[in-house]
C-alpha cells in the first residue's frame, strides 16, 4: 500500500539512504538534520510576528505621567508616534529612540538592562542572548546583522572549547502575580507551550521515520503513517498555537490534526487499499 499518506516518511528514507550511500554520514543523521532546520524556521517566524505584527504597548520607559507609554504599536520593534524619533518636550521629557525593549533608564538617564525579562522561544523566563533574541525580546533586524559576526565567533569558540559547565547563577526579578505584561505580545505563554509541543511532535515523527527504515511490510507502513501523523500534529500546533495564539490551542491542534487525518489522508489510504485489492484479485 503505497499512497501519499506515507509519501513524506518514505521520501525522507529514500533520500537519506541515497545520501548515505555516497557519503560517510549515516542515514539517521541526514533525517535528524531536519530538526534544526525546523527549529530555525519556527524561530524566524515567531521573531517576525513578535517584532512586526503582534500588538504590544509602546512601553517607552520614561514619560511625563510617571509610567511606561501605553499606546499600542504593531510589534516589539515599534514605538508610538511620540517616541519613534528623537525629540525634546516642553515638560522636560526627552526621547531617545535608540533604547531597546530590554533596556530602561537608570540614574542620570543612563541606559541599563531592565530587571524584568521577556519571553523566549521555548522558555517563559529566558536567561541569555541569542542571535534573534536579547533577554527574551526580539532583536531588530539591523541589530541581528550587527550581531552575526560576534555570534559566529562565539559559536566557533564553543565548538572548539566544548565542555560541561555549571551555569552561573543570576538574580531574577519576577513579575508579581496579577501583573499584566504589556511590553510583550499577549498569549506568548501559549506560543511557548505550542512551540514545545510542535518540536516534540516533529522529533517523534523523525524518530518514527528512522525506525521505519529498519523494518518492512505492514510494520513499516504503520510507522510511516504514525510519522505522518506526527508531522501533521506539529503543523497543527504551529497553526493553532503559534500563528493564531488560541487559548485552546492544544484542543484545536488535536482536532485539526485528527480532521486532516480522517478526512484527507485516511479516505485516500482506504481507496488505495480497495484499488490494490481489486487489481490483485484473480480475473
Amino acid at each position: 500500500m503505497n499512497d501519499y499518506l506515507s509519501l513524506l516518511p518514505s521520501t525522507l528514507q529514500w533520500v537519506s539512504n541515497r545520501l548515505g550511500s555516497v557519503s560517510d554520514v549515516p542515514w539517521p543523521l541526514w533525517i535528524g538534520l531536519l530538526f534544526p532546520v525546523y527549529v530555525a524556521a519556527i524561530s524566524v517566524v515567531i521573531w517576525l510576528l513578535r517584532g512586526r505584527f503582534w500588538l504590544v504597548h509602546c512601553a517607552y520607559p520614561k514619560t511625563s505621567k510617571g509610567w511606561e507609554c501605553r499606546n499600542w504599536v504593531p510589534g516589539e520593534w515599534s514605538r508610538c508616534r511620540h517616541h519613534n524619533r528623537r525629540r525634546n518636550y516642553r515638560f522636560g521629557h526627552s526621547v531617545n529612540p535608540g533604547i531597546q525593549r530590554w533596556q530602561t533608564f537608570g540614574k542620570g538617564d543612563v541606559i541599563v538592562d531592565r530587571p524584568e525579562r521577556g519571553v523566549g522561544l521555548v522558555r517563559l523566563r529566558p536567561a541569555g542572548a541569542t542571535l534573534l533574541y536579547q533577554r527574551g525580546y526580539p532583536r531588530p533586524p539591523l541589530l541581528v546583522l550587527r550581531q552575526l559576526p560576534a555570534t559566529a565567533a562565539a559559536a566557533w569558540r564553543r565548538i572548539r572549547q566544548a565542555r560541561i559547565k555549571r551555569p552561573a547563577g543570576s538574580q531574577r526579578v519576577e513579575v508579581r502575580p496579577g501583573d499584566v505584561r504589556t511590553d510583550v505580545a499577549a498569549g506568548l505563554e501559549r506560543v511557548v507551550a505550542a512551540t514545545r509541543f510542535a518540536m516534540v511532535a516533529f522529533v517523534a515523527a523523525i524518530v518514527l521515520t528512522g525506525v521505519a527504515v529498519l523494518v518492512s511490510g505492514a510494520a513499516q507502513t504503520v510507522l510511516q503513517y504514525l510519522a505522518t501523523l506526527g508531522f501533521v500534529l506539529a503543523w497543527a500546533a504551529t497553526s493553532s498555537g503559534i500563528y493564531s495564539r488560541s487559548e485552546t490551542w492544544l484542543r484545536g491542534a488535536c482536532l485539526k490534526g485528527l480532521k486532516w487525518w480522517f478526512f484527507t489522508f485516511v479516505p485516500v489510504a482506504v481507496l488505495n487499499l480497495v484499488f490494490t485489492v481489486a487489481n490483485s484479485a484473480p480475473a
Side-chain angles (χ1 to χ4, degrees):
M1 185 163 51
N2 185 18
D3 51 62
Y4 75 85
L5 179 57
S6 59
L7 179 61
L8 180 56
S10 60
T11 301
L12 292 178
Q13 294 167 9
W14 183 86
V15 172
S16 62
N17 278 319
R18 297 290 81 72
L19 292 173
S21 65
V22 298
S23 71
D24 295 330
V25 179
W27 61 261
L29 294 181
W30 289 112
I31 297 178
L33 287 175
L34 284 177
F35 180 68
V37 173
Y38 175 75
V39 173
I42 289 294
S43 180
V44 170
V45 168
I46 296 178
W47 173 71
L48 288 173
L49 290 174
R50 287 185 58 178
R52 185 55 67 193
F53 297 101
W54 288 342
L55 289 178
V56 296
H57 281 180
C58 169
Y60 189 80
K62 183 179 179 181
T63 66
S64 59
K65 297 180 180 179
W67 54 69
E68 294 181 344
C69 179
R70 298 177 181 176
N71 293 329
W72 291 100
V73 293
E76 297 176 42
W77 298 335
S78 305
R79 298 290 188 183
C80 70
R81 62 187 180 89
H82 302 293
H83 301 112
N84 60 359
R85 60 188 179 91
R86 191 175 299 275
R87 67 180 76 188
N88 296 314
Y89 288 101
R90 293 194 304 271
F91 40 78
H93 171 203
S94 298
V95 176
N96 181 356
I99 191 170
Q100 303 298 329
R101 286 271 171 179
W102 57 87
Q103 297 174 328
T104 187
F105 292 108
K107 293 182 179 180
D109 287 341
V110 177
I111 296 178
V112 297
D113 287 341
R114 296 174 51 139
E116 304 88 2
R117 298 184 187 272
V119 177
L121 181 67
V122 294
R123 294 195 299 173
L124 294 176
R125 298 180 180 90
T130 62
L131 177 61
L132 299 181
Y133 296 91
Q134 175 74 27
R135 296 174 61 87
Y137 296 91
R139 297 178 188 266
L142 185 58
L143 292 186
V144 171
L145 292 177
R146 292 176 180 173
Q147 187 68 19
L148 271 175
T151 301
W156 178 245
R157 284 196 302 269
R158 286 196 297 269
I159 293 174
R160 295 184 61 183
Q161 302 174 356
R163 60 182 181 270
I164 299 176
K165 291 183 179 180
R166 176 175 296 181
S170 58
Q171 185 177 1
R172 292 177 178 174
V173 179
E174 305 293 346
V175 180
R176 295 187 300 273
D179 288 354
V180 178
R181 294 292 299 274
T182 60
D183 60 330
V184 295
L188 281 186
E189 70 282 354
R190 296 190 293 273
V191 173
V192 170
T195 302
R196 294 172 181 170
F197 181 88
M199 289 182 180
V200 169
F202 198 86
V203 169
I206 290 177
V207 170
L208 290 171
T209 299
V211 174
V213 177
L214 305 177
V215 297
S216 60
Q220 184 180 66
T221 301
V222 170
L223 289 174
Q224 289 174 343
Y225 283 15
L226 291 176
T228 301
L229 179 60
F231 287 123
V232 169
L233 283 176
W235 172 250
T238 302
S239 175
S240 298
I242 297 176
Y243 179 74
S244 300
R245 290 179 293 165
S246 171
E247 293 184 2
T248 57
W249 68 267
L250 182 57
R251 179 174 178 270
C254 292
L255 290 177
K256 186 175 293 186
L258 290 175
K259 181 175 67 175
W260 291 344
W261 180 262
F262 283 112
F263 293 100
T264 303
F265 294 123
V266 172
V268 173
V270 172
L271 289 175
N272 191 66
L273 176 61
V274 171
F275 287 128
T276 301
V277 173
N279 292 331
S280 60

